[in-house]
Every structure is written in C-alpha cells, then in structure tokens.
C-alpha cells in the first residue's frame, strides 16, 4: 500500500466525512484505509477538528462506545447564518419576483443547489437534538429543502403525495383544509414509508396559514408517529394565528404589495 502524507490523509478524510454528515466512521476504518496506526488517525482527527473549528465549517464530534467513532456535523456559525438569511431576504425582496395575485416567485432559490444545501444545514442545526428518524414533506417544492435537511441529519426523506401513485403501493389518505384557500384537499402516504413509533421532522418551503403542515401532522397520527418539530423556509406574517402552534421559520414574509411592487422579508431567527 502507498504511504500517504498527513495532508493527503486529512484531505481524503474531509471528503469522506463531509459527504456523509452525521454518519459515524470508526478510527479503525481510516486506519485500514490509509494503512496507519490508530494513534496516527487520532492525530489527524485532532488536526482536522482544529481546522474546521477555526474556519467555522462545522464540528467533528467523537462518539464513544462499541459502535463509536467520529462524525462530521455541519453546524454553521451564527454570524454566517445571519448573513446568509439576510442575503436570502434581499433576494426575496426583489420587485420582479411578484407574480399576478400577489404570489412570490421562489423556485429559483429552491432549486439552486448551493443555496438549498445551506438552507438544509441551517434547518438541520435547529433540530439535531430532536434526533428524527426521518424528514417528511409534501410534494413538490418542499422536497429540495427536505432532502438537504435530511442529508445533514443523516436520515431518509418521506414525501406525502397530493395524488395517489400506483408505485407507492397501499396508502393512507386524509382530507385537510387549506388555511389560505379554505378548500378541502387530500394528502396520501404509503403505508410502508414509515413505521409506528418513529420520530418525524416536518419540513416545507412555505407556510401561510399552516394548513399543509397541519395536514402532515394529522396524516402522521394515522401511523402513530411522534412529531419532533416543524420547520419552514418562509412563513408569512399574516395570518398571525397559524394552524400549527410551534414551528421554526428562517424568513418571515411581512408584505407583498402587487400595486406598489413592494416585498418586505426579514430574518425570523
């Protein structure tokens, strides 16, 4: 086996760990990979931990026990989070985003990989201690944020459907009321998607009245699943009374005035 320098080992370790956030890798794994002693790997880990901390790039945590090892936790610095969300607010406040009917165009943000990855890591940092078994969202625009949040938490994504899909197999379907339109809508989830007693984190892109989030809560009750949190990228200021009591929003949308071409968005954290 070729001998690798410390800088080469740390470069490879960084790639492996950051590609799989919150996944435990044993020191023996890296020792066998590089053909070095466990003590050498420990020194590499200490150097990498210092570098990550110095540049506010996340944490390298040690997990003790028989199944222990190290894992990378992408926990962004609060100053970075503040600046990033303010930048998103500035983008959302562009008048050209206003659509007929007072809607706001946000698809470009939701489908830009580096933006949605940061949103997911910030969202995940708010729910690390909740330790969810899966992240759930409803199709379709909430999927990118849910996917990146789940990646940072190292858990799967479950997608509730508005229409039954034959590829989903047997499903549970509920009716729920849209808080904004006051119309009855349906939401379905495959029976094999989740298991009784699991812990769910609800993630979505946008919340107005909270009807969709409430629908996901009610749907998961049919599976006897615990809800450990609700997170949304954007929540509107009105109506103040949402159908969900507790939730985390990154941005609060205060005003979309189609006549004056004015959008007011501010950080909610």
């Amino acid at each position: 086996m070729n001998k690798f320098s410390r800088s080469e080992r740390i470069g490879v370790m960084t790639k492996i760990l950051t590609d799989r956030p919150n996944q435990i890798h044993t020191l023996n794994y890296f020792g066998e990979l590089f053909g070095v002693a466990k003590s050498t790997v420990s020194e590499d880990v200490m150097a990498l931990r210092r570098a990550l901390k110095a540049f506010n790039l996340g944490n390298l945590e040690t997990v003790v026990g028989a199944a222990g090892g190290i894992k990378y936790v992408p926990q962004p610095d609060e100053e970075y989070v503040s600046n990033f969300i303010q930048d998103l607010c500035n983008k959302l406040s562009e008048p050209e985003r206003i659509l007929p009917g007072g809607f706001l165009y946000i698809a470009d943000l939701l489908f830009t990989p580096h933006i949605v990855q940061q949103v997911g890591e910030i969202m995940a940092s708010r729910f690390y201690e909740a330790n969810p078994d899966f992240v759930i969202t409803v199709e379709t625009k909430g999927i990118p944020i849910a996917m990146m949040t789940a990646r940072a938490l190292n858990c799967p994504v479950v997608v509730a459907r508005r229409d039954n899909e034959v590829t989903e197999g047997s499903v549970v379907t509920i009716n729920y009321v849209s808080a904004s339109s006051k119309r009855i809508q349906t939401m379905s989830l495959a029976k094999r998607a989740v298991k009784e007693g699991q812990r769910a984190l609800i993630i979505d892109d946008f919340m107005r009245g909270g009807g969709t989030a409430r629908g996901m809560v009610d749907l998961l009750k049919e599976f006897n699943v615990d809800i450990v949190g609700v997170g949304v990228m954007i929540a509107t200021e009105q109506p103040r009374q949402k159908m969900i009591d507790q939730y985390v929003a990154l941005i609060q949308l205060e005003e979309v005035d189609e006549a004056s071409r004015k959008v007011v968005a501010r950080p909610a954290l």
Side-chain angles (χ1 to χ4, degrees), residues 8-19:
E8 289 172 328
R9 293 195 303 270
I10 289 177
V12 173
M13 287 175 63
T14 302
K15 172 65 174 173
I16 292 172
L17 290 165
T18 56
D19 275 357

Side-chain angles (χ1 to χ4, degrees), residues 9 14 21 29 38 48-49 53 59-60 70 73-74 80 82-83 99 119 129 134-135 152 215 232 254-255 262:
R9 293 195 303 270
T14 302
Y29 165 76
K38 192 173 179 180
L48 178 53
R49 181 181 286 119
K53 184 176 181 180
N59 301 320
L60 201 58
I70 57 172
V73 180
Y80 173 83
S82 178
N83 292 335
L99 300 172
V119 170
E129 295 183 2
F134 63 91
V135 171
V232 295
E254 295 185 348
E255 181 182 0
K262 181 182 178 182

Side-chain angles (χ1 to χ4, degrees), residues 248-266:
V248 171
L250 304 187
I251 295 169
Q252 180 165 306
L253 187 61
E254 295 185 348
E255 181 182 0
V256 179
D257 191 322
E258 188 177 2
S260 64
R261 310 299 293 175
K262 181 182 178 182
V263 180
V264 179
R266 66 172 181 81

Side-chain angles (χ1 to χ4, degrees), residues 101-114:
F103 295 99
L104 203 62
Y105 181 77
I106 62 172
D108 60 326
L109 303 179
L110 294 174
F111 293 95
T112 299
H114 76 272

